[in-house]
Amino acid sequence: MPRAERERQMIEVAEAVFAEHGYAAASMDEIAERVGVSKPMLYEYFHSKEGLLLACIAGSRAELRQVTEEAVVNATSAEDALSRGLLAFFVYIRERRQAWSLLRHEMALIGTSAADEIEAVRRQQTDLIAKVMAGYFEEGSPLRVEALAEIVVGACERLAIWCEQHNEVTPERATDYAMAALWVGLRERTG
């Protein structure tokens, strides 16, 4: 099997094991067994359990960035861009529950490189929202645009966690809830 494909397979299995057991309780032995490789091979590819976790988070971060960027490409207004981006986010967390589980369990990871990587995911989404929205906002403070983007990310992160407890809430419905709360304040800032 080509190295890139084997690496992808290891990451997928590790993501499942981390989501099932939590990072601390997950075992490299179980991951290796599920993948069908030796434990030393996992270490050869990722150097440590934390290195494997970082690879999982980095992969999720890249996927999330791609789906949200693609979602807003053909937006016709600030409201349309926000709605499309939010829907892409909520669809991502619904379809990629294991990846989302890794991204949201940062409290167990404080003090590790993974905490920095998770914060980088938030920063990535904030930067994307600020960049997209800056094109629609009236002239104003870049600091204000960044603050508004941070509010969107924080609100959506909490809503996504709530959605996990309410499986009946579809991505479309979650987007409607978020838009109803967020767009009122953002609408006043657009030209």
Side-chain angles (χ1 to χ4, degrees), residues 116-180:
D116 294 337
E117 188 65 25
I118 290 168
E119 184 54 33
V121 173
R122 288 187 184 106
R123 179 84 258 140
Q124 162 189 288
Q125 293 306 112
T126 300
D127 291 347
L128 176 61
I129 292 166
K131 178 181 154 192
V132 169
M133 298 311 270
Y136 295 106
F137 286 157
E138 292 178 353
E139 287 296 319
S141 164
L143 195 60
R144 177 181 289 251
V145 172
E146 184 178 346
L148 293 171
E150 289 282 354
I151 291 166
V152 171
V153 168
C156 290
E157 189 173 314
R158 291 302 309 163
L159 181 58
I161 291 168
W162 177 83
C163 286
E164 286 182 69
Q165 301 162 8
H166 299 279
N167 202 39
E168 72 276 14
V169 177
T170 64
E172 292 78 10
R173 193 167 166 197
T175 300
D176 289 345
Y177 290 159
M179 287 297 292

Side-chain angles (χ1 to χ4, degrees), residues 86-140:
L86 293 176
L87 181 59
F89 170 73
F90 289 117
V91 166
Y92 176 83
I93 64 164
R94 171 65 67 102
E95 292 178 355
R96 299 279 286 124
R97 287 183 191 266
Q98 291 175 344
W100 169 244
S101 178
L102 288 178
L103 296 176
R104 77 172 188 83
H105 284 104
E106 78 270 12
M107 292 313 290
L109 305 172
I110 290 176
T112 68
S113 300
D116 294 337
E117 188 65 25
I118 290 168
E119 184 54 33
V121 173
R122 288 187 184 106
R123 179 84 258 140
Q124 162 189 288
Q125 293 306 112
T126 300
D127 291 347
L128 176 61
I129 292 166
K131 178 181 154 192
V132 169
M133 298 311 270
Y136 295 106
F137 286 157
E138 292 178 353
E139 287 296 319

